[in-house]
Amino acid sequence: MATPTIELQQVQKVYSMGRRNYQALRGVDLRIEPGEFVAIVGPSGSGKSTILNMITGIDRPSKGQIMIAEVNLNLLSENQLAHWRGAEVGIVFQFFQLLPTLTALENVILPLHLRGRRAKVHGKERLERALEHLRMVGMDSHAYHLPSELSGGEQQRVAIARALANDPPIIVADEPTGNLDSQTGEMVFEIFRRLSSEGKTIIYVTHDHDLAHLAHRLIQVRDGLIIADSN
Amino acid sequence: MIWSFQKAFNDIRRRKIRSGLTIVGIFIGVAGIVAIVATARNLEEAQRYNYANSSQDDMRWWVWNNTPTTEYALSQVPNVAAVQRRANYYTRFRWDNTWHDVTFYGLEDYSKVQVNRIDFVEGRPPQSGEVAFEISTKQLLPDLKLGDVITYRVQPQNQEYRFTLSGFVKSPAYPSATLLNYSTAYATANDVRRMLGISGDNEILLRVNDLAGREETRRQVEDIFRKRNLQFSGYVARDPNNFLGKQEIEVVVLLLLVFSGVGLVISGFLVANTLSAIVTEQVGEIGTLKALGAGRWSILQVYLFGALIYGLIGTALGIVGGFVGGKFLLGFLGGTLNFEVDQFLFQPEALGLGVVVGIGVTLASALIPAWAGTAISVREALDSYGITSTYGQGRVDRILTKLQKLPPLVALSLRNLSRRKTRNLITLGVIALSSAAFLAAQSTSTSVDGTIDHLYNVYGADGWMQFDSDVNENLAQHLKAVPGVMNAEAWMRGRVTVKATTTDMYGVPPNTTIYKKQVSEGRWFTTNENNVVTISANLAHLRSIKVGDYLEVEYNRQRETMQVVGILDDNSKFLGSSSVGKVFMPLSVAQRLKKRQGLADFFAIVTTEHDPATVETVLATIENRYRELSPSSLTAYSDRNSTLQITAILRLLLYSMTAIIAVIGAIGVVNTLTLNVLERRREIGVLRTIGGTNQRLVQIFLTEGLFLGLLGFIVGLILGYPLAQVLTNVISQAVFPVDFIFEPQMVIGTFAFALLLTTAASLGPAIGAARVNISSSLRF
């Protein structure tokens, strides 16, 4: 059996809310193999975004362990996690989260700059690679536009190019089409499908049933637990 | 109303550090204003008290060997209120193996001092072989104590004698020894007469009933001197509205006031910034309040109450701090002037000004951001997450976006500056003002020092010799033969009147090498010219005198017409001098004007080595060799030290104020960058998700601070240059003419200052950015 890309073992997450505690995850076990195309669904507050935060190291579990390609995320410092994310995970948000003061091209180059020497591409190569990613999502003609000059779909495509900048093996998307019309949403989803066919692990959270069923694997979450996991 | 106040109070408590910094800013601004206004008022009071109670002399002459009968005759002159004879001898004394300058005054009866009152503060009046020092001498020699023995030199035998210290006195009529850089000491009349080698006294001081009738009194008094065949000179009339050091103190107070004003403006910026921050943070709350039916005025009240609380706390602390600081400042300045400032009088106008300025500036500064912030619509407010994402609509945004070659992190920092334009402009203004103040302080102190250097380079002498009476000018040739003397010249000095202006006259050899004349127009005079003068540029400017003009030069009612052949770049003026400008003429012409042919009253000496020890040794040798002429000497280095003493005070105050302004400026930068971090928490989270490490985040915010520093430095240069000119002009008008100096290294210094200031201030917020919790920032 191939080494699991992602493994969550009895992961619990408790948020302290004043005098009360809120248990977002109640002991989640999950394995995702390399190259899988996974959709996570569930109602609001079910814990699906918390699972994504655990996988990306954005948040830490209160209990349990997260192993990704044999790296125990629990043991990494915030700085090490930032380095790790820069190399291993590309994240796409519902509201795109492009930096508004940077052009589309600069937004895509930024992760390469943040990786510094570890990026293994320098100077002009960075520019070429960023342009290549923009071309891949059909946004090369808008390379020098600011986010405020782009439509929602265009911004999301730039955000995907940014997530791909360092060529990470895992792409995580939180409601990537949630803020787009259906036609644009499908266009974005098509890009994910293409990336999956190229061998990348794709994990996305969605409310859209149709989009969820396009994944190779569907995980249903409720009240902080995985209640169904089907291929 | 009550809920508004309660909410404002809670908002302040929630942001303790920022509130603390804002209050500190207001505190410093108010304290500065209160301290300076209160000190200035107290100084005026002290001056008035001093004038009324120290029985200062209104008129004074050198009258050689005068006796009690002269005193009696003078007391019969109608306008004379009091007469005081005294023996006066300027020499040096040795204590703790070091020589110090001193003026000895000899009085017959210390219980009956009628003019220039003295009070014994320690010990008792001197008896034969004893001396009492002016208490301010302790500022120069802190370890000096009763019972100490000092050694002094006495002419004509030039032998060393000893005095035992019997007391310390306070003589409010004289400035502090620190200001003068020489001590004032009191001994018995007989002891000082013995120093002088005469049986009578050499100085007469008068107080008059009516200052307006002083000229008539002078005529009557000088008639008495002539009738009694007394040799007299050096008439000095005291200006009741002026005193030694007054102009200098006024300049210091004015400069402090200017700097305090700058500090207060920066405090205003700080308040505006903080209020803007609070309003920005609470956009959501504003939206909710509006949705619940709150009007703009009721919401505005919340923020104005907040400002009022800042203003009240900052002002209250500032007033207390100001009065405490003012007491210290008054002690320092009063001590320097030797004023009696035992009590610091409460000044209602300082209190009033502190309240008006502290609360007024705070509320006015708060009004703009509060008004603008509360204008937001309910929908905008509820949708907003802190900072607009519509970057790129403004002209500046578009210009900055065109800079494509920048690395993304640098572009990010630079373009962020145009997102909160008003806030960043305010911060830029704060850094610019701090930089301008630093540049102006550097330029002013360098200009003052440069002028002093120039002055002592123009007068190339290492020491000066004068004698009790005029001596043959050929003495200069003999002085050159003294070991250690490289050059000596006979000069003659006096005060002449030119176009109704009292000015200093210098008779110098036409071929002088000691006076390094700097002729800016025309030429220097030659050996064969008999009726020519060169004048200083400030006199030429004041009286519109040009090269080629003929002047009537009056000395002691004797007038001669002379032609101006040159204008000199020599506007130096010694501390306390009330004359304007200088007139230089050939020594022979000065001798003729003073009716002292072949004589000189002043010798300029250049020594082979210029260190203080050599100069002292050479001058002591001269004093010893020519003791029968009762010489006294003055060293250029001690004179220079005395002048530098004043500039050291000025420099200390200038840099202290700059430091205070810099602190307020730094608080402003901290505030702005903290707000930037708060507003961009989501962006920080995004940067984290795409690989942004702590170092990268610190780098982004530090670069942002450095850009602010760089821009602030550029604007600071533009503001600082004229500010430096203004300060130099103020000193030129009030103290002595100062040549404005502006050097490239000052620009480099200011650049370093601005960058250091912003780096230090940016570090905290930048590190704060690196600590932002990633998951909560993305939820924000």
Side-chain angles (χ1 to χ4, degrees):
Chain A
M1 199 173 89
T3 310
T5 303
I6 299 160
E7 185 170 9
L8 274 68
Q9 298 166 357
Q10 277 301 303
V11 170
Q12 295 184 28
K13 180 66 190 177
V14 180
Y15 291 109
S16 175
M17 304 179 81
R19 292 178 196 170
R20 287 190 316 122
N21 284 339
Y22 171 71
Q23 194 152 14
L25 297 179
R26 297 167 184 269
V28 170
D29 287 308
L30 176 65
R31 280 164 71 103
I32 298 174
E33 305 298 334
E36 275 197 277
F37 192 14
V38 182
I40 303 176
V41 292
S44 289
S46 60
K48 52 189 190 302
S49 290
T50 310
I51 292 177
L52 285 196
N53 283 349
M54 295 295 145
I55 292 170
T56 52
I58 285 175
D59 217 342
R60 292 174 185 277
S62 307
K63 260 188 189 167
Q65 192 167 271
I66 301 158
M67 298 288 293
I68 299 184
E70 294 183 333
V71 175
N72 185 345
L73 295 197
N74 298 23
L75 303 179
L76 299 184
S77 67
E78 281 301 320
N79 240 10
Q80 287 168 324
L81 276 172
H83 277 304
W84 173 81
R85 264 194 304 269
E88 303 295 330
V89 189
I91 305 174
V92 179
F93 300 93
Q94 180 182 357
F95 291 101
F96 333 125
Q97 306 296 4
L98 295 176
L99 294 174
T101 53
L102 299 184
T103 61
L105 181 64
E106 287 166 339
N107 263 289
V108 180
I109 292 179
L110 188 58
L112 294 164
H113 266 275
L114 290 173
R115 281 213 78 197
R117 286 182 189 165
R118 298 174 199 214
K120 290 177 186 158
V121 278
H122 306 286
K124 254 193 156 177
E125 263 184 274
R126 285 182 177 169
L127 185 76
E128 281 161 12
R129 189 193 275 200
L131 276 170
E132 177 57 37
H133 286 304
L134 283 174
R135 202 171 296 126
M136 205 176 97
V137 296
M139 286 300 296
D140 51 323
S141 57
H142 293 76
Y144 296 99
H145 286 193
L146 287 167
S148 59
E149 297 163 337
L150 302 175
S151 69
E154 287 169 336
Q155 287 192 53
Q156 194 60 303
R157 282 190 280 159
V158 174
I160 295 170
R162 182 178 68 183
L164 295 171
N166 280 316
D167 198 19
I170 307 166
I171 301 291
V172 172
D174 193 356
E175 303 263 8
T177 57
N179 215 31
L180 305 175
D181 60 68
S182 58
Q183 201 180 344
T184 317
E186 275 191 24
M187 194 194 301
V188 166
F189 201 79
E190 188 49 43
I191 297 170
F192 285 131
R193 210 160 19 201
R194 199 166 69 225
L195 290 170
S196 172
S197 66
E198 287 168 10
K200 294 204 186 292
T201 307
I202 309 286
I203 308 162
Y204 66 96
V205 161
T206 183
H207 273 112
D208 188 324
H209 255 269
D210 293 340
L211 284 181
H213 283 95
L214 292 175
H216 302 154
R217 183 176 167 190
L218 182 65
I219 296 169
Q220 290 185 54
V221 184
R222 180 172 291 205
D223 297 331
L225 287 168
I226 293 175
I227 55 163
D229 187 346
S230 60
N231 287 318
Chain B
M1 187 76 98
I2 292 171
W3 75 267
S4 304
F5 190 81
Q6 207 147 23
K7 178 170 176 353
F9 188 67
N10 288 338
D11 287 344
I12 288 171
R13 275 187 20 189
R14 262 165 57 189
R15 299 283 177 225
K16 288 190 183 68
I17 294 178
R18 198 183 314 148
S19 297
L21 291 176
T22 307
I23 289 168
V24 167
I26 300 167
F27 161 75
I28 294 173
V30 172
I33 295 273
V34 169
I36 288 154
V37 171
T39 303
R41 290 274 171 275
N42 269 286
L43 267 180
E44 281 171 23
E45 293 288 330
Q47 180 197 350
R48 207 170 295 130
Y49 178 83
N50 203 54
Y51 176 68
N53 294 285
S54 63
S55 61
Q56 290 182 39
D57 58 278
D58 297 317
M59 306 167 82
R60 178 193 303 189
W61 291 262
W62 292 111
V63 186
W64 188 248
N65 216 359
N66 66 75
T67 57
T69 56
T70 314
E71 183 178 332
Y72 176 76
L74 294 178
S75 67
Q76 301 307 303
V77 174
N79 191 27
V80 171
V83 185
Q84 180 74 52
R85 286 183 307 121
R86 67 183 185 189
N88 177 327
Y89 190 72
Y90 185 83
T91 183
R92 277 192 288 277
F93 72 94
R94 191 177 65 210
W95 179 78
D96 202 17
N97 290 323
T98 317
W99 287 96
H100 308 276
D101 292 330
V102 63
T103 293
F104 283 112
Y105 291 115
L107 300 174
E108 278 185 351
D109 187 348
Y110 279 92
S111 64
K112 290 180 184 163
V113 178
Q114 302 220 44
V115 184
N116 287 1
R117 192 197 88 214
I118 57 172
D119 302 317
F120 278 84
V121 292
E122 204 179 332
R124 55 174 170 74
Q127 296 171 358
S128 181
E130 291 181 341
V131 70
F133 271 101
E134 218 290 326
I135 189 77
S136 61
T137 306
K138 279 195 171 183
Q139 291 169 10
L140 288 179
L141 311 169
D143 297 330
L144 193 66
K145 59 184 184 307
L146 295 186
D148 281 359
V149 174
I150 65 158
T151 305
Y152 63 98
R153 275 204 292 259
V154 164
Q155 306 296 347
Q157 297 85 6
N158 200 39
Q159 286 173 339
E160 288 190 353
Y161 286 89
R162 288 177 173 189
F163 269 145
T164 303
L165 185 56
S166 73
F168 284 104
V169 303
K170 186 155 186 63
S171 41
Y174 297 105
S176 156
T178 341
L179 191 70
L180 297 170
N181 208 33
Y182 67 78
S183 306
T184 301
Y186 296 87
T188 63
N190 281 336
D191 277 344
V192 182
R193 286 172 193 156
R194 182 167 46 80
M195 295 177 192
L196 289 161
I198 55 176
S199 56
D201 294 325
N202 64 344
E203 199 176 14
I204 283 183
L205 316 173
L206 293 187
R207 276 180 66 76
V208 293
N209 294 317
D210 176 18
L211 281 174
R214 195 155 56 178
E215 271 310 299
E216 175 58 19
T217 308
R218 177 187 177 184
R219 199 185 55 74
Q220 292 169 341
V221 166
E222 291 184 356
D223 276 348
I224 292 173
F225 294 154
R226 284 189 200 97
K227 275 181 197 158
R228 288 170 175 260
N229 242 352
L230 289 168
Q231 194 184 331
F232 68 95
S233 62
Y235 168 69
V236 177
R238 186 170 66 90
D239 178 356
N241 296 317
N242 212 341
F243 56 88
L244 190 56
K246 179 173 184 269
Q247 284 179 318
E248 290 79 358
I249 295 298
E250 280 175 355
V251 170
V252 167
V253 169
L254 181 67
L255 292 181
L256 291 178
L257 213 53
V258 168
F259 275 71
S260 283
V262 173
L264 201 72
V265 170
I266 297 178
S267 305
F269 285 164
L270 211 58
V271 173
N273 235 350
T274 304
L275 256 290
S276 155
I278 293 176
V279 171
T280 307
E281 273 176 3
Q282 299 183 353
V283 163
E285 286 181 44
I286 293 172
T288 310
L289 287 170
K290 282 196 168 181
L292 293 173
R296 188 174 180 184
W297 171 239
S298 9
I299 299 171
L300 191 66
Q301 268 180 23
V302 174
Y303 299 103
L304 290 184
F305 270 133
L308 186 66
I309 294 170
Y310 283 141
L312 284 172
I313 300 173
T315 304
L317 293 174
I319 286 169
V320 173
F323 279 115
V324 172
K327 194 171 159 57
F328 282 107
L329 189 61
L330 181 69
F332 172 67
L333 296 178
T336 303
L337 291 169
N338 228 15
F339 277 179
E340 289 185 1
V341 283
D342 296 339
Q343 52 176 343
F344 181 82
L345 299 172
F346 175 74
Q347 301 296 331
E349 63 253 72
L351 174 71
L353 196 64
V355 171
V356 169
V357 162
I359 310 246
V361 168
T362 310
L363 285 179
S365 311
L367 195 59
I368 299 164
W371 182 255
T374 52
I376 195 164
S377 72
V378 179
R379 191 192 56 78
E380 281 173 326
L382 294 176
D383 283 352
S384 173
Y385 67 87
I387 191 164
T388 175
S389 56
T390 54
Y391 181 85
Q393 291 175 356
R395 192 181 298 169
V396 182
D397 300 353
R398 287 199 295 272
I399 292 169
L400 291 176
T401 310
K402 281 182 185 154
L403 300 171
Q404 292 289 339
K405 300 270 178 193
L406 295 173
L409 291 180
V410 177
L412 196 64
S413 302
L414 182 63
R415 291 177 198 159
N416 275 332
L417 294 180
S418 68
R419 291 174 86 181
R420 285 287 182 201
K421 291 186 185 68
T422 311
R423 182 194 305 156
N424 285 319
L425 272 176
I426 288 173
T427 311
L428 186 77
V430 167
I431 301 168
L433 280 176
S434 305
S435 302
F438 185 73
L439 183 69
Q442 279 185 98
S443 171
T444 307
S445 62
T446 308
S447 298
V448 170
D449 289 353
T451 304
I452 292 167
D453 277 344
H454 178 70
L455 164 68
Y456 286 95
N457 288 334
V458 167
Y459 293 84
D462 292 301
W464 311 90
M465 298 296 307
Q466 52 191 351
F467 302 91
D468 279 348
S469 51
D470 298 345
V471 298
N472 193 305
E473 63 179 291
N474 291 331
L475 180 70
Q477 299 307 319
H478 298 285
L479 290 175
K480 284 180 189 172
V482 173
V485 174
M486 195 165 78
N487 195 8
E489 286 179 3
W491 289 22
M492 186 152 252
R493 292 193 313 174
R495 276 200 168 181
V496 292
T497 307
V498 171
K499 284 197 165 184
T501 302
T502 304
T503 184
D504 291 325
M505 175 196 79
Y506 286 80
V508 296
N511 54 356
T512 178
T513 53
I514 294 180
Y515 181 69
K516 316 280 185 207
K517 58 250 175 208
Q518 297 190 356
V519 181
S520 59
E521 222 178 299
R523 60 177 176 81
W524 184 250
F525 41 75
T526 60
T527 318
N528 301 322
E529 290 180 296
N530 281 324
N531 287 306
V532 291
V533 290
T534 55
I535 62 170
S536 60
N538 56 345
L539 179 64
H541 177 73
L542 182 74
R543 290 294 171 209
S544 307
I545 304 169
K546 294 184 291 294
V547 172
D549 283 0
Y550 285 89
L551 296 178
E552 282 224 315
V553 181
E554 182 185 331
Y555 175 81
N556 211 12
R557 294 172 192 166
Q558 168 96 13
R559 284 183 189 180
E560 282 204 29
T561 303
M562 300 188 195
Q563 190 183 17
V564 178
V565 294
I567 309 283
L568 297 169
D569 176 18
D570 180 0
N571 294 341
S572 58
K573 186 173 116 177
F574 289 95
L575 180 70
S577 169
S578 57
S579 62
V580 176
K582 293 168 189 169
V583 173
F584 287 82
M585 57 185 73
L587 177 63
S588 57
V589 177
Q591 289 168 334
R592 190 180 69 217
L593 195 63
K594 287 182 78 175
K595 294 186 175 155
R596 294 275 195 279
Q597 271 84 356
L599 300 177
D601 60 6
F602 204 63
F603 289 83
I605 313 283
V606 180
T607 52
T608 48
E609 302 294 328
H610 309 295
D611 59 289
T614 307
V615 173
E616 287 283 359
T617 309
V618 172
L619 293 183
T621 310
I622 294 173
E623 285 184 7
N624 194 32
R625 188 174 284 190
Y626 296 98
R627 56 181 174 255
E628 72 282 358
L629 299 174
S630 299
S632 63
S633 60
L634 180 71
T635 58
Y637 82 86
S638 64
D639 200 31
R640 185 189 185 121
N641 285 347
S642 166
T643 315
L644 287 174
Q645 191 80 31
I646 305 293
T647 63
I649 295 171
L650 183 73
R651 192 179 300 112
L652 176 77
L653 292 172
L654 276 177
Y655 280 108
S656 303
M657 291 308 288
T658 306
I660 291 172
I661 288 173
V663 168
I664 306 178
I667 294 172
V669 177
V670 171
N671 226 348
T672 294
L673 289 184
T674 307
L675 285 177
N676 289 353
V677 170
L678 281 171
E679 282 181 349
R680 301 215 301 268
R681 277 166 60 199
R682 185 176 290 195
E683 286 175 24
I684 293 167
V686 171
L687 281 165
R688 278 284 202 208
T689 61
I690 58 173
T693 56
N694 291 346
Q695 292 84 343
R696 294 295 195 187
L697 290 171
V698 168
Q699 187 190 335
I700 290 169
F701 283 91
L702 213 53
T703 311
E704 208 167 308
L706 288 179
F707 273 128
L708 274 173
L710 188 68
L711 291 172
F713 157 72
I714 293 166
V715 181
L717 274 190
I718 298 165
L719 296 176
Y721 186 82
L723 181 64
Q725 280 182 318
V726 168
L727 293 183
T728 312
N729 272 343
V730 167
I731 295 170
S732 289
Q733 307 259 320
V735 189
F736 53 77
V738 173
D739 303 320
F740 179 66
I741 297 175
F742 192 84
E743 293 167 336
Q745 54 262 42
M746 294 173 191
V747 177
I748 297 167
T750 307
F751 179 69
F753 169 83
L755 289 197
L756 254 172
L757 177 80
T758 42
T759 307
S762 310
L763 261 178
I767 291 169
R771 287 186 182 156
V772 167
N773 180 287
I774 178 170
S775 59
S776 66
S777 68
L778 290 171
R779 274 201 299 275
F780 168 60

